[in-house]
């Protein structure tokens, strides 16, 4: 039996794996965290594995595979690099599933990374809501905890990251998205946010809802630019999986 490995943990990864399973194409889906596993759920024909893998372990997982689909987050640069290298080492075809990018509002500021966003914000005033994920909160600490608000997943690790960045408990919004434009706007207005720092998570990440809310609430976006990468659309990846995995 041919072996298909999908590195997922994203909306498009779940959609792809479930679409394939519905057609009788079995796959092994790897996600990094228990949260990702819970989101993936259980589907007949899919084997879901959880854990962060280094390159050697990835090569082991890929041994004998006919195809590997990288459906990790658009900003998971290190993970994608390891998956590509592991595929090359194991002699397995690598296919990157791209998430369409979003148009930025005309008044949005953009930065190459979290540190770049901080440099921009150092020249501004007013409360800042950081909605880029808990991993990057430490980079924003120089702005001062009293100025910062953080929207993070409701996990112990996220709360620990907020504490390490000096963000007061009253400035932490621990909720699981995606969020509607109305709820985004309510949060911005509740805390008087003037700057919303986000990534271009595309439609699955609710980028349009964030942009609409910021405009309505009188806040401006600071967008951490998406890394440049080559890959294929959802439909192209789905077609290639069907082709490779055909009996």
């Amino acid at each position: 039996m041919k072996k298909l490995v999908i590195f997922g943990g994203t909306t498009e990864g779940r959609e792809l794996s479930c679409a394939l399973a519905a057609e009788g194409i079995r796959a092994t889906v790897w996600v990094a965290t228990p949260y990702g596993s819970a989101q993936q759920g259980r589907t007949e024909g899919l084997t879901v594995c959880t854990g962060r893998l280094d390159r050697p372990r990835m090569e082991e997982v890929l041994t004998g595979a006919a195809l590997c689909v990288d459906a990790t987050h658009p900003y998971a640069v290190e993970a994608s690099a390891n998956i590509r290298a592991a595929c090359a080492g194991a002699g397995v075809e690598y296919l990157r599933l791209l998430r369409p990018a979003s148009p930025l509002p005309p008044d949005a500021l953009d930065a190459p990374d979290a540190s770049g966003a901080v440099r921009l914000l150092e020249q501004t005033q007013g409360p800042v809501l950081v909605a880029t994920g808990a991993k990057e909160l430490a980079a924003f600490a120089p702005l001062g905890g009293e100025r910062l608000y953080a929207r993070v997943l409701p996990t112990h690790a996220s709360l620990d990251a907020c504490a390490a960045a000096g963000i007061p408990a009253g400035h932490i919004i621990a909720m699981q998205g995606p969020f509607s434009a109305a709820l985004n706007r309510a949060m911005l207005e509740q805390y008087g946010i003037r700057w919303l720092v986000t990534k271009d998570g595309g439609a699955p990440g609710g980028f349009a809802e964030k942009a609409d809310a910021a405009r309505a609430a009188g806040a401006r976006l600071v967008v951490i630019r998406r890394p440049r990468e080559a890959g294929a659309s959802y439909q192209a990846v789905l077609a290639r999986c069907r082709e490779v995995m055909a009996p």
Side-chain angles (χ1 to χ4, degrees):
M1 181 182 294
K2 294 180 181 178
K3 179 180 176 182
L4 170 63
V5 177
I6 300 173
F7 287 93
T10 57
T11 300
E12 55 269 39
R14 291 190 291 275
E15 291 177 352
L16 175 70
S17 60
C18 290
L20 292 170
E23 297 180 14
I25 299 175
R26 308 180 76 86
T28 297
V29 181
W30 273 92
V31 296
T33 65
Y35 173 79
S37 179
Q39 292 290 99
Q40 177 69 42
R42 295 184 179 181
T43 302
E44 185 176 354
L46 300 180
T47 300
V48 182
C49 303
T50 305
R52 298 186 185 277
L53 307 180
D54 58 15
R55 177 183 165 183
R57 181 71 180 102
M58 285 181 179
E59 286 194 28
E60 292 178 16
V61 168
L62 289 166
T63 299
L67 178 65
C68 172
V69 177
D70 177 4
T72 58
H73 195 274
Y75 289 82
V77 177
E78 183 177 354
S80 286
N82 284 336
I83 295 168
R84 282 195 302 271
C87 284
V92 174
E93 179 181 347
Y94 170 85
L95 194 55
R96 174 61 167 148
L97 173 56
L98 293 181
R99 180 183 294 183
S102 304
L104 301 188
D107 65 341
L109 302 179
D110 67 298
D113 51 28
S115 296
V118 170
R119 288 193 292 272
L120 289 174
L121 289 165
E122 284 176 337
Q123 312 304 315
T124 68
Q125 295 182 338
V128 177
L129 174 59
V130 182
T132 60
K135 289 183 179 179
E136 295 179 319
L137 284 178
F140 292 89
L143 294 175
E146 289 299 324
R147 187 184 178 193
L148 294 174
Y149 291 77
R151 190 165 74 190
V152 296
L153 288 174
T155 65
H156 291 296
S158 294
L159 296 179
D160 289 343
C162 289
I167 299 174
H171 289 201
I172 300 171
I173 305 170
M175 298 176 65
Q176 177 182 326
F179 305 98
S180 66
L183 184 51
N184 278 321
R185 178 179 179 178
M187 292 180 191
L188 296 175
E189 293 179 342
Q190 172 69 26
Y191 298 105
I193 301 300
R194 301 272 61 86
W195 303 92
L196 172 57
V197 186
T198 184
K199 295 177 179 177
D200 174 15
F207 184 84
E209 288 78 6
K210 293 175 187 175
D212 289 346
R215 181 171 58 253
R220 290 182 67 182
L221 291 183
V222 178
V223 182
I224 297 178
R225 290 195 296 270
R226 187 180 294 188
R228 294 182 180 275
E229 57 179 351
S233 68
Y234 176 90
Q235 290 299 330
V237 171
L238 179 60
R240 181 57 180 160
C241 289
R242 290 168 173 160
E243 180 182 9
V244 172
M245 300 302 291

Short mmCIF file of all heavy atoms in Angstrom, two decimals, residues 183-230:
data_model
loop_
_atom_site.label_atom_id
_atom_site.label_comp_id
_atom_site.label_asym_id
_atom_site.label_seq_id
_atom_site.Cartn_x
_atom_site.Cartn_y
_atom_site.Cartn_z
N LEU A 183 -16.42 40.68 17.22
CA LEU A 183 -15.73 40.37 18.47
C LEU A 183 -14.35 41.01 18.49
O LEU A 183 -13.92 41.54 19.53
CB LEU A 183 -15.61 38.85 18.64
CG LEU A 183 -14.98 38.36 19.96
CD1 LEU A 183 -15.66 39.00 21.16
CD2 LEU A 183 -15.05 36.84 20.04
N ASN A 184 -13.65 41.00 17.37
CA ASN A 184 -12.36 41.69 17.29
C ASN A 184 -12.53 43.17 17.64
O ASN A 184 -11.75 43.73 18.41
CB ASN A 184 -11.77 41.56 15.88
CG ASN A 184 -11.06 40.25 15.64
OD1 ASN A 184 -10.38 39.74 16.51
ND2 ASN A 184 -11.21 39.71 14.45
N ARG A 185 -13.55 43.79 17.07
CA ARG A 185 -13.77 45.22 17.31
C ARG A 185 -14.07 45.47 18.78
O ARG A 185 -13.56 46.43 19.38
CB ARG A 185 -14.91 45.73 16.44
CG ARG A 185 -15.23 47.21 16.67
CD ARG A 185 -16.34 47.70 15.78
NE ARG A 185 -16.63 49.11 16.03
CZ ARG A 185 -17.53 49.82 15.37
NH1 ARG A 185 -18.25 49.24 14.41
NH2 ARG A 185 -17.73 51.09 15.68
N ALA A 186 -14.88 44.59 19.37
CA ALA A 186 -15.22 44.76 20.79
C ALA A 186 -13.97 44.71 21.67
O ALA A 186 -13.83 45.49 22.62
CB ALA A 186 -16.22 43.69 21.21
N MET A 187 -13.06 43.81 21.35
CA MET A 187 -11.82 43.70 22.13
C MET A 187 -10.97 44.97 21.97
O MET A 187 -10.44 45.50 22.94
CB MET A 187 -11.02 42.49 21.66
CG MET A 187 -11.64 41.16 21.97
SD MET A 187 -10.58 39.80 21.37
CE MET A 187 -11.71 38.41 21.57
N LEU A 188 -10.84 45.43 20.73
CA LEU A 188 -10.04 46.63 20.48
C LEU A 188 -10.61 47.84 21.21
O LEU A 188 -9.87 48.63 21.81
CB LEU A 188 -9.98 46.90 18.97
CG LEU A 188 -9.28 45.84 18.10
CD1 LEU A 188 -9.43 46.20 16.63
CD2 LEU A 188 -7.82 45.70 18.47
N GLU A 189 -11.93 47.98 21.18
CA GLU A 189 -12.55 49.13 21.84
C GLU A 189 -12.53 48.99 23.36
O GLU A 189 -12.37 49.99 24.07
CB GLU A 189 -13.99 49.28 21.32
CG GLU A 189 -14.03 49.69 19.85
CD GLU A 189 -15.44 49.82 19.32
OE1 GLU A 189 -16.38 49.28 19.95
OE2 GLU A 189 -15.61 50.46 18.25
N GLN A 190 -12.68 47.77 23.85
CA GLN A 190 -12.68 47.55 25.30
C GLN A 190 -11.38 48.03 25.93
O GLN A 190 -11.38 48.64 27.02
CB GLN A 190 -12.87 46.06 25.59
CG GLN A 190 -12.70 45.65 27.04
CD GLN A 190 -13.81 46.17 27.93
OE1 GLN A 190 -14.93 46.40 27.46
NE2 GLN A 190 -13.52 46.36 29.21
N TYR A 191 -10.26 47.78 25.25
CA TYR A 191 -8.95 48.12 25.81
C TYR A 191 -8.33 49.36 25.18
O TYR A 191 -7.18 49.69 25.49
CB TYR A 191 -8.00 46.93 25.65
CG TYR A 191 -8.48 45.70 26.40
CD1 TYR A 191 -9.04 44.61 25.71
CD2 TYR A 191 -8.41 45.63 27.78
CE1 TYR A 191 -9.50 43.50 26.40
CE2 TYR A 191 -8.87 44.52 28.47
CZ TYR A 191 -9.41 43.46 27.77
OH TYR A 191 -9.87 42.35 28.45
N GLY A 192 -9.08 50.05 24.33
CA GLY A 192 -8.55 51.27 23.73
C GLY A 192 -7.33 51.03 22.86
O GLY A 192 -6.41 51.86 22.81
N ILE A 193 -7.32 49.91 22.16
CA ILE A 193 -6.15 49.53 21.36
C ILE A 193 -5.98 50.47 20.18
O ILE A 193 -6.92 50.76 19.45
CB ILE A 193 -6.31 48.07 20.85
CG1 ILE A 193 -6.45 47.09 22.03
CG2 ILE A 193 -5.12 47.71 19.97
CD1 ILE A 193 -5.28 47.08 22.97
N ARG A 194 -4.76 50.93 19.99
CA ARG A 194 -4.42 51.80 18.86
C ARG A 194 -3.63 51.05 17.78
O ARG A 194 -3.60 51.48 16.64
CB ARG A 194 -3.63 53.02 19.34
CG ARG A 194 -4.35 53.86 20.35
CD ARG A 194 -5.23 54.94 19.69
NE ARG A 194 -6.29 54.43 18.83
CZ ARG A 194 -7.50 54.05 19.24
NH1 ARG A 194 -7.80 54.10 20.51
NH2 ARG A 194 -8.41 53.63 18.38
N TRP A 195 -2.98 49.95 18.18
CA TRP A 195 -2.14 49.20 17.25
C TRP A 195 -2.41 47.71 17.42
O TRP A 195 -2.35 47.19 18.53
CB TRP A 195 -0.66 49.48 17.50
CG TRP A 195 -0.31 50.93 17.41
CD1 TRP A 195 -0.29 51.83 18.43
CD2 TRP A 195 0.00 51.64 16.22
NE1 TRP A 195 0.04 53.07 17.97
CE2 TRP A 195 0.22 52.99 16.61
CE3 TRP A 195 0.14 51.29 14.88
CZ2 TRP A 195 0.56 53.98 15.68
CZ3 TRP A 195 0.48 52.28 13.96
CH2 TRP A 195 0.69 53.60 14.36
N LEU A 196 -2.73 47.04 16.32
CA LEU A 196 -2.98 45.60 16.34
C LEU A 196 -1.88 44.91 15.54
O LEU A 196 -1.76 45.12 14.33
CB LEU A 196 -4.34 45.28 15.73
CG LEU A 196 -4.67 43.79 15.49
CD1 LEU A 196 -4.57 43.00 16.78
CD2 LEU A 196 -6.05 43.66 14.86
N VAL A 197 -1.07 44.13 16.23
CA VAL A 197 0.03 43.42 15.57
C VAL A 197 -0.44 42.01 15.22
O VAL A 197 -0.92 41.27 16.09
CB VAL A 197 1.27 43.33 16.48
CG1 VAL A 197 2.44 42.71 15.71
CG2 VAL A 197 1.65 44.71 17.00
N THR A 198 -0.30 41.65 13.97
CA THR A 198 -0.78 40.35 13.52
C THR A 198 0.11 39.82 12.41
O THR A 198 0.99 40.52 11.91
CB THR A 198 -2.24 40.45 13.03
OG1 THR A 198 -2.72 39.15 12.68
CG2 THR A 198 -2.34 41.36 11.80
N LYS A 199 -0.13 38.58 12.05
CA LYS A 199 0.49 37.98 10.88
C LYS A 199 -0.57 37.86 9.80
O LYS A 199 -1.77 37.93 10.08
CB LYS A 199 1.06 36.60 11.22
CG LYS A 199 2.20 36.63 12.22
CD LYS A 199 2.66 35.22 12.57
CE LYS A 199 3.82 35.25 13.55
NZ LYS A 199 4.23 33.87 13.95
N ASP A 200 -0.12 37.67 8.57
CA ASP A 200 -1.07 37.44 7.49
C ASP A 200 -1.44 35.96 7.48
O ASP A 200 -0.87 35.16 6.76
CB ASP A 200 -0.48 37.87 6.14
CG ASP A 200 -1.41 37.50 4.98
OD1 ASP A 200 -2.59 37.19 5.24
OD2 ASP A 200 -0.93 37.52 3.83
N GLY A 201 -2.40 35.62 8.33
CA GLY A 201 -2.85 34.23 8.41
C GLY A 201 -3.86 33.87 7.34
O GLY A 201 -4.38 32.75 7.35
N GLY A 202 -4.15 34.79 6.42
CA GLY A 202 -5.11 34.52 5.37
C GLY A 202 -6.51 34.31 5.92
O GLY A 202 -6.81 34.65 7.07
N ALA A 203 -7.38 33.74 5.09
CA ALA A 203 -8.77 33.51 5.51
C ALA A 203 -8.86 32.59 6.72
O ALA A 203 -9.62 32.87 7.66
CB ALA A 203 -9.57 32.97 4.34
N PRO A 204 -8.09 31.47 6.78
CA PRO A 204 -8.19 30.59 7.95
C PRO A 204 -7.78 31.27 9.25
O PRO A 204 -8.25 30.91 10.32
CB PRO A 204 -7.22 29.44 7.61
CG PRO A 204 -7.15 29.43 6.13
CD PRO A 204 -7.22 30.87 5.74
N GLY A 205 -6.89 32.27 9.16
CA GLY A 205 -6.44 32.98 10.34
C GLY A 205 -7.28 34.20 10.67
O GLY A 205 -6.96 34.96 11.60
N GLY A 206 -8.35 34.43 9.91
CA GLY A 206 -9.24 35.55 10.19
C GLY A 206 -8.63 36.91 9.93
O GLY A 206 -8.97 37.89 10.60
N PHE A 207 -7.75 37.01 8.90
CA PHE A 207 -7.07 38.29 8.67
C PHE A 207 -8.06 39.39 8.27
O PHE A 207 -7.98 40.51 8.76
CB PHE A 207 -6.00 38.15 7.59
CG PHE A 207 -5.21 39.41 7.37
CD1 PHE A 207 -4.12 39.71 8.18
CD2 PHE A 207 -5.57 40.32 6.38
CE1 PHE A 207 -3.41 40.89 8.00
CE2 PHE A 207 -4.86 41.50 6.20
CZ PHE A 207 -3.78 41.78 7.00
N ALA A 208 -8.99 39.09 7.39
CA ALA A 208 -9.95 40.10 6.94
C ALA A 208 -10.78 40.62 8.11
O ALA A 208 -11.07 41.83 8.19
CB ALA A 208 -10.86 39.52 5.86
N GLU A 209 -11.15 39.73 9.02
CA GLU A 209 -11.93 40.15 10.19
C GLU A 209 -11.13 41.08 11.09
O GLU A 209 -11.68 42.02 11.68
CB GLU A 209 -12.40 38.92 10.96
CG GLU A 209 -13.49 38.11 10.28
CD GLU A 209 -12.98 37.21 9.16
OE1 GLU A 209 -11.74 37.13 8.97
OE2 GLU A 209 -13.81 36.59 8.49
N LYS A 210 -9.84 40.81 11.21
CA LYS A 210 -8.98 41.70 11.99
C LYS A 210 -8.87 43.08 11.33
O LYS A 210 -8.95 44.12 12.00
CB LYS A 210 -7.59 41.10 12.14
CG LYS A 210 -7.52 39.83 12.97
CD LYS A 210 -6.11 39.27 12.94
CE LYS A 210 -6.04 37.91 13.62
NZ LYS A 210 -4.71 37.28 13.49
N ALA A 211 -8.67 43.07 10.00
CA ALA A 211 -8.52 44.33 9.28
C ALA A 211 -9.80 45.16 9.37
O ALA A 211 -9.76 46.38 9.59
CB ALA A 211 -8.16 44.06 7.82
N ASP A 212 -10.95 44.51 9.21
CA ASP A 212 -12.23 45.22 9.28
C ASP A 212 -12.44 45.81 10.68
O ASP A 212 -12.91 46.94 10.83
CB ASP A 212 -13.38 44.27 8.94
CG ASP A 212 -13.41 43.88 7.47
OD1 ASP A 212 -12.72 44.54 6.67
OD2 ASP A 212 -14.11 42.91 7.13
N ALA A 213 -12.11 45.02 11.70
CA ALA A 213 -12.29 45.48 13.07
C ALA A 213 -11.38 46.65 13.39
O ALA A 213 -11.80 47.62 14.05
CB ALA A 213 -12.03 44.32 14.03
N ALA A 214 -10.14 46.58 12.95
CA ALA A 214 -9.19 47.66 13.22
C ALA A 214 -9.68 48.96 12.58
O ALA A 214 -9.63 50.03 13.21
CB ALA A 214 -7.81 47.29 12.68
N ARG A 215 -10.15 48.87 11.36
CA ARG A 215 -10.65 50.07 10.68
C ARG A 215 -11.85 50.66 11.43
O ARG A 215 -11.93 51.86 11.65
CB ARG A 215 -11.04 49.71 9.24
CG ARG A 215 -11.57 50.90 8.43
CD ARG A 215 -11.74 50.57 6.96
NE ARG A 215 -12.64 49.44 6.75
CZ ARG A 215 -12.25 48.22 6.39
NH1 ARG A 215 -10.97 47.97 6.21
NH2 ARG A 215 -13.12 47.25 6.23
N ALA A 216 -12.76 49.79 11.87
CA ALA A 216 -13.96 50.26 12.57
C ALA A 216 -13.64 50.85 13.94
O ALA A 216 -14.31 51.77 14.41
CB ALA A 216 -14.96 49.11 12.71
N ALA A 217 -12.60 50.32 14.59
CA ALA A 217 -12.25 50.76 15.94
C ALA A 217 -11.23 51.89 15.95
O ALA A 217 -10.84 52.36 17.02
CB ALA A 217 -11.72 49.58 16.75
N GLY A 218 -10.77 52.30 14.78
CA GLY A 218 -9.79 53.38 14.72
C GLY A 218 -8.38 52.95 15.09
O GLY A 218 -7.57 53.78 15.51
N ALA A 219 -8.09 51.65 14.95
CA ALA A 219 -6.74 51.14 15.22
C ALA A 219 -6.04 50.87 13.89
O ALA A 219 -6.68 50.78 12.84
CB ALA A 219 -6.82 49.86 16.04
N ARG A 220 -4.72 50.75 13.95
CA ARG A 220 -3.96 50.45 12.74
C ARG A 220 -3.29 49.09 12.88
O ARG A 220 -2.91 48.67 13.97
CB ARG A 220 -2.90 51.52 12.48
CG ARG A 220 -3.48 52.85 12.06
CD ARG A 220 -2.38 53.87 11.77
NE ARG A 220 -1.59 53.51 10.60
CZ ARG A 220 -0.54 54.22 10.17
NH1 ARG A 220 -0.16 55.30 10.84
NH2 ARG A 220 0.13 53.85 9.09
N LEU A 221 -3.14 48.42 11.74
CA LEU A 221 -2.49 47.12 11.72
C LEU A 221 -0.98 47.27 11.56
O LEU A 221 -0.50 48.12 10.80
CB LEU A 221 -3.01 46.27 10.56
CG LEU A 221 -4.44 45.75 10.60
CD1 LEU A 221 -4.67 44.87 9.37
CD2 LEU A 221 -4.70 44.96 11.86
N VAL A 222 -0.26 46.42 12.27
CA VAL A 222 1.16 46.21 12.02
C VAL A 222 1.27 44.74 11.64
O VAL A 222 1.01 43.86 12.46
CB VAL A 222 2.02 46.51 13.26
CG1 VAL A 222 3.49 46.22 12.95
CG2 VAL A 222 1.85 47.96 13.69
N VAL A 223 1.59 44.47 10.39
CA VAL A 223 1.57 43.11 9.86
C VAL A 223 2.98 42.57 9.69
O VAL A 223 3.81 43.19 9.01
CB VAL A 223 0.83 43.06 8.50
CG1 VAL A 223 0.76 41.63 7.99
CG2 VAL A 223 -0.57 43.65 8.64
N ILE A 224 3.25 41.45 10.31
CA ILE A 224 4.52 40.77 10.11
C ILE A 224 4.42 40.00 8.80
O ILE A 224 3.56 39.13 8.64
CB ILE A 224 4.84 39.82 11.28
CG1 ILE A 224 5.00 40.64 12.56
CG2 ILE A 224 6.10 39.01 11.00
CD1 ILE A 224 5.27 39.81 13.79
N ARG A 225 5.25 40.36 7.86
CA ARG A 225 5.16 39.82 6.51
C ARG A 225 5.36 38.30 6.48
O ARG A 225 6.16 37.75 7.24
CB ARG A 225 6.19 40.48 5.58
CG ARG A 225 5.89 41.94 5.26
CD ARG A 225 6.73 42.40 4.08
NE ARG A 225 8.16 42.38 4.40
CZ ARG A 225 8.82 43.41 4.91
NH1 ARG A 225 8.19 44.52 5.20
NH2 ARG A 225 10.11 43.32 5.14
N ARG A 226 4.68 37.68 5.56
CA ARG A 226 4.78 36.24 5.39
C ARG A 226 6.09 35.89 4.67
O ARG A 226 6.47 36.58 3.71
CB ARG A 226 3.60 35.73 4.56
CG ARG A 226 3.52 34.23 4.46
CD ARG A 226 2.34 33.80 3.62
NE ARG A 226 1.07 34.13 4.24
CZ ARG A 226 -0.09 33.71 3.77
NH1 ARG A 226 -0.14 32.98 2.67
NH2 ARG A 226 -1.22 34.03 4.38
N PRO A 227 6.80 34.85 5.10
CA PRO A 227 8.02 34.44 4.41
C PRO A 227 7.72 34.05 2.97
O PRO A 227 6.68 33.46 2.67
CB PRO A 227 8.51 33.23 5.21
CG PRO A 227 7.83 33.37 6.54
CD PRO A 227 6.51 34.01 6.28
N ARG A 228 8.63 34.37 2.07
CA ARG A 228 8.47 33.97 0.67
C ARG A 228 8.73 32.47 0.54
O ARG A 228 9.70 31.96 1.09
CB ARG A 228 9.43 34.75 -0.24
CG ARG A 228 9.13 36.24 -0.30
CD ARG A 228 10.09 36.93 -1.24
NE ARG A 228 9.84 38.37 -1.33
CZ ARG A 228 8.94 38.92 -2.14
NH1 ARG A 228 8.23 38.15 -2.95
NH2 ARG A 228 8.77 40.23 -2.16
N GLU A 229 7.90 31.78 -0.21
CA GLU A 229 8.11 30.36 -0.42
C GLU A 229 7.41 29.91 -1.69
O GLU A 229 6.50 30.57 -2.19
CB GLU A 229 7.59 29.54 0.77
CG GLU A 229 6.12 29.76 1.09
CD GLU A 229 5.65 28.92 2.26
OE1 GLU A 229 6.40 28.05 2.73
OE2 GLU A 229 4.51 29.13 2.71
N ALA A 230 7.86 28.78 -2.21
CA ALA A 230 7.27 28.20 -3.40
C ALA A 230 6.39 27.04 -3.00
O ALA A 230 6.65 26.35 -2.01
CB ALA A 230 8.37 27.72 -4.35
#
